[in-house]
């Protein structure tokens, strides 16, 4: 019967001071034991489910309005484009939010999509409209109309991008956490959700809605302690504490944790209270699978 050297099996590397194993010299530890993370599990979603998720995300973002596939939200300093309202910055814009439109556009091009000629350049240029007023004034210009047509023709690819972003989220979140216990906790909660959500809608939508939570800029200081507090997926997973594998319970825990993270953001940044009703209604949809 094959027996494993217990030091090798545990991941500890030893150097023996003599080539002969029968020696009284103790082995020398040259590397501290390390906790070896389990490999990432595959996350897959069928095409029909992906289409349902894409339609739901589009409804969440703009009510499925075809013209709203190019938008500039009130009180924001940037354009929001596509079914996921991927944000696009004009040149020189300094904001706490992470730009997402350029990465989405590069993904579409990698899948063979052909943007309008003015946009078909690398790297993706800054947004040509610098203010909301300029954006609205140019809403039916040839440039904006061609962009809207392109986005409407690539809805299926945008859904694929959202799914790919979900697959890539966990490694990024784990890399952003210095504490090993937090990494283990987040991994466990992430896969609890994956295990009970066939459509992955809660994960896909929340990442698109509020991001992975890995940017230090995407935080507000706690109004009492001054500690930075975020609202991305990382923060939602950290707020979950359950162990049940019951689908209804896991989905409810995720919705409750998302609600907690968003209400904490509103507490830390009171002007966001104007969004509270819509935000909380959106995360309530995570409690049930898509039909």
């Amino acid at each position: 019967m094959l027996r494993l050297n217990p030091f090798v099996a545990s991941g500890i590397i030893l150097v023996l001071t003599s080539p002969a194993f029968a020696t009284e010299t103790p082995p020398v530890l040259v590397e501290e034991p390390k906790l070896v993370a389990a490999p990432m599990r595959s996350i897959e979603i069928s095409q029909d489910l992906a289409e349902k998720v894409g339609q739901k995300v589009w409804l969440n973002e703009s009510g499925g309005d075809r013209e709203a596939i190019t938008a500039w939200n009130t009180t924001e300093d940037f354009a929001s484009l596509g079914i996921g309202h991927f944000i696009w910055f004009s040149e020189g814009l300094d904001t706490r939010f992470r730009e997402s439109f350029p990465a989405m556009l590069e993904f579409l091009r990698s899948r063979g999509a052909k943007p309008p000629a003015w946009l078909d350049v690398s790297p993706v240029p800054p947004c040509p409209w610098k203010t909301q007023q300029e954006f609205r004034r140019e809403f039916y210009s040839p440039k904006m109309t061609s962009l809207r047509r392109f986005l409407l023709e690539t809805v299926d690819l945008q859904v694929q991008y959202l799914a790919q972003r979900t697959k890539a989220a966990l490694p990024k979140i784990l890399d952003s956490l210095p504490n090993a216990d937090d990494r283990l906790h987040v991994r466990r909660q992430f896969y609890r959700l994956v295990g009970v959500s066939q459509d992955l809608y809660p994960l896909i939508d929340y990442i698109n809605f509020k991001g992975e939570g890995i940017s230090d800029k995407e935080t507000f200081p706690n109004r009492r302690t001054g500690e930075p507090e975020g609202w991305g997926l990382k923060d939602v997973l950290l707020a979950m504490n359950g162990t049940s594998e019951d689908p209804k319970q896991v989905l409810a825990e995720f919705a409750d944790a998302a609600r907690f993270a968003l209400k904490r953001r509103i507490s830390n940044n009171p002007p966001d209270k104007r969004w509270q009703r819509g935000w909380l209604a959106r995360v309530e949809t995570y409690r049930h699978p898509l039909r």
Side-chain angles (χ1 to χ4, degrees), residues 193 196-197 202 247-255 286-289:
L193 190 58
V196 303
S197 179
K248 185 175 182 180
Q249 187 169 336
V250 177
L251 292 174
E253 286 177 24
F254 183 77
Y286 302 159
R287 296 182 186 273
H288 308 286

Side-chain angles (χ1 to χ4, degrees), residues 25-72:
T25 305
V28 178
L29 181 66
V30 297
E31 186 173 330
E32 290 296 324
K34 293 181 179 179
L35 178 63
V36 180
M40 299 293 176
R41 301 181 210 169
S42 176
I43 299 175
E44 302 296 337
I45 182 171
S46 66
Q47 185 61 37
D48 61 327
L49 281 177
E51 290 175 0
K52 289 181 181 179
V53 172
Q55 290 297 321
K56 183 61 175 174
V57 171
W58 193 359
L59 285 170
N60 288 343
E61 292 290 351
S62 62
D65 185 345
R66 292 173 64 85
E67 289 201 338
I69 207 163
T70 56
W72 191 304

